[in-house]
Amino acid sequence: MASDFILEVRNLEKVFRDRIGRDGRVEEDVAVKGVSFQIERGECFGLIGESGSGKSTTAYMAAGLLRPSGGEILFHGTYMQMVFQDPMKALNPRRKVLDNICEGLLYRRGGRSKEEIREEALKAMDLVQLDRRYADRFGRELSGGECQRATIARAILIRPELLICDEVTSALDVSVQAQIIRLLEDLKKKLGLSYLFISHDIALVDSFCDRVAVMYQGKIVEMGKTRDIILNPKDAYTKRLMESVLTL
């Protein structure tokens, strides 16, 4: 029987160990401690908190890019993909846009020819509303928003069930941020995507996420429906976080 959840995170921990000093002492930095949450199929789940709270580290572990120090991650799907904060750095500057988009599917060809993969990549460009004339350009010739559309096209090309978005709008202008959020909402409907959405922007999380967890010093201090957390926070840190936004 299929799980109602696309992702389950249980008691996740990450400890970074740095060797310091001439005496060889080892200092531990506990970046994530005892983090647990579940994402339902078709849900957008947000992680918010200030810089250094552990939200991006949690996302990297969920994506398999960092090895957890403890706990477990259960993914009830076939593919997940991650979209990163800086789209300019996420694209190989020596390869053209279409080649960047094709990259993931080339390793999962499944009998497709290169020509078939390129055609699928062009269709992915259509889905993210990136004009096909950019296919043979380099990333440096595109704007930040256009580059982010290209990285999203690359991510959806293998048809993942879960998309992990790590501060995907923070490097973009405010007007472009709104466009990217509308695009993600559109893709959610068309492709049946679920999201793990990492952000420090409360307004974006409010407009996009169904539920949210607040992280502070590597722990989740509060979790619930997004509007409930924003309008009626219970934890002292969450209250300070919301007050800081309201006073800006």
Side-chain angles (χ1 to χ4, degrees):
M1 182 177 178
S3 172
D4 292 333
F5 302 110
I6 190 66
L7 184 72
E8 296 181 79
V9 173
R10 300 176 180 173
N11 297 314
L12 198 62
E13 295 192 1
K14 183 60 182 177
V15 179
F16 293 102
R17 294 180 174 84
D18 298 314
R19 188 170 295 279
I20 60 172
R22 293 182 179 179
D23 58 359
R25 290 185 298 112
V26 175
E27 184 177 86
E28 290 189 346
D29 175 18
V30 182
V32 174
K33 185 175 182 180
V35 166
S36 298
F37 60 86
Q38 299 167 320
I39 301 177
E40 295 181 5
R41 294 180 184 275
E43 180 182 34
C44 181
F45 183 85
L47 278 181
I48 62 173
E50 60 191 352
S51 179
S53 62
K55 57 187 187 297
S56 289
T57 301
T58 299
Y60 273 68
M61 287 190 287
L65 300 177
L66 274 179
R67 185 187 297 274
S69 302
E72 60 181 345
I73 300 165
L74 303 177
F75 177 56
H76 304 289
T78 305
Y79 296 123
M80 70 169 77
Q81 285 285 74
M82 189 164 183
V83 182
F84 300 92
Q85 179 176 353
D86 191 336
M88 297 291 190
K89 292 181 179 178
L91 296 176
N92 186 332
R94 297 183 178 181
R95 306 186 70 182
K96 294 182 179 180
V97 168
L98 190 65
D99 293 327
N100 270 285
I101 294 173
C102 288
E103 189 175 27
L105 198 56
L106 287 172
Y107 296 101
R108 300 181 176 90
R109 189 174 297 182
R112 300 178 184 90
S113 67
K114 287 186 177 181
E115 290 72 22
E116 289 172 327
I117 290 174
R118 288 178 65 85
E119 183 57 35
E120 288 190 42
L122 288 169
K123 291 178 181 178
M125 290 180 67
D126 296 339
L127 273 174
V128 302
Q129 300 158 30
L130 181 62
D131 198 298
R132 289 190 178 196
R133 72 175 186 270
Y134 294 124
D136 292 320
R137 297 186 185 181
F138 292 96
R140 61 180 176 270
E141 301 178 75
L142 277 61
S143 69
E146 290 164 347
C147 279
Q148 195 61 292
R149 289 177 188 273
T151 65
I152 294 171
R154 179 175 60 186
I156 66 171
L157 189 59
I158 64 170
R159 292 295 189 264
E161 295 98 327
L162 176 67
L163 204 59
I164 300 176
C165 299
D166 184 26
E167 299 279 8
V168 294
T169 61
S170 63
L172 307 175
D173 294 337
V174 173
S175 59
V176 181
Q177 289 181 1
Q179 294 171 15
I180 295 298
I181 291 299
R182 286 196 295 270
L183 171 63
L184 294 175
E185 290 174 337
D186 184 55
L187 292 174
K188 179 181 177 182
K189 295 174 183 176
K190 288 180 177 178
L191 304 179
L193 287 170
S194 306
Y195 288 97
L196 173 56
F197 190 78
I198 315 300
S199 182
H200 64 275
D201 191 318
I202 306 299
L204 283 180
V205 170
D206 185 24
S207 68
F208 186 56
C209 295
D210 304 300
R211 289 189 303 129
V212 66
V214 183
M215 290 194 70
Y216 177 61
Q217 294 185 344
K219 299 179 180 180
I220 290 178
V221 296
E222 191 163 357
M223 181 165 53
K225 293 182 178 180
T226 305
R227 293 301 291 167
D228 291 344
I229 296 293
I230 291 175
L231 296 177
N232 190 29
K234 301 292 192 302
D235 182 80
Y237 170 73
T238 309
K239 290 178 181 179
R240 293 197 302 272
L241 186 65
M242 299 306 161
E243 288 169 359
S244 70
V245 174
L246 293 174
T247 56
L248 291 178

